[in-house]
Amino acid sequence: ALEGPSSSRGGGSEAMNWRSKKSPASGGLSGKPGDSIGAWDQFAANQEKFGVKTSFDENLYTTKLDKDKIDQAKLKHAERIAREIEGQA
């Protein structure tokens, strides 16, 4: 979020929040807060709609961590951040 006068960032006017009138402010497609479209499996959807079977392997895109080698304080901090991101804090 932008804070303070934009002139401090070289602009000449205040920053304003923008919200589309066509899309809901929060929630799923209905626009009701807390509403969602439910569980969705993009790989199953692609197979059903297009006959494409994926060979996705998460290990090709991530680095496996050995939790035994991570300091407990760092591990707890990372888990707290993960919960915040996932909305379970």
Side-chain angles (χ1 to χ4, degrees):
L2 298 174
E3 295 182 20
S6 61
S7 59
S8 66
R9 293 183 304 279
S13 62
E14 294 292 319
M16 296 176 60
N17 287 335
W18 179 84
R19 179 169 286 138
S20 171
K21 293 177 181 165
K22 294 182 180 181
S23 63
S26 64
L29 296 176
S30 71
K32 297 175 192 166
D35 193 15
S36 69
I37 60 173
W40 182 67
D41 182 340
Q42 72 184 45
F43 304 110
N46 281 338
Q47 186 168 0
E48 182 181 315
K49 289 183 168 207
F50 309 110
V52 176
K53 184 166 178 148
T54 185
S55 59
F56 177 78
D57 180 0
E58 181 178 288
N59 296 311
L60 295 174
Y61 303 97
T62 60
T63 302
K64 188 94 170 163
L65 298 176
D66 183 353
K67 289 185 178 182
D68 294 332
K69 293 183 179 180
I70 300 174
D71 177 83
Q72 284 299 311
K74 285 184 179 183
L75 189 58
K76 286 184 179 189
H77 182 71
E79 288 171 350
R80 182 186 59 79
I81 292 171
R83 284 192 307 274
E84 286 178 14
I85 292 170
E86 294 170 353
Q88 301 170 0

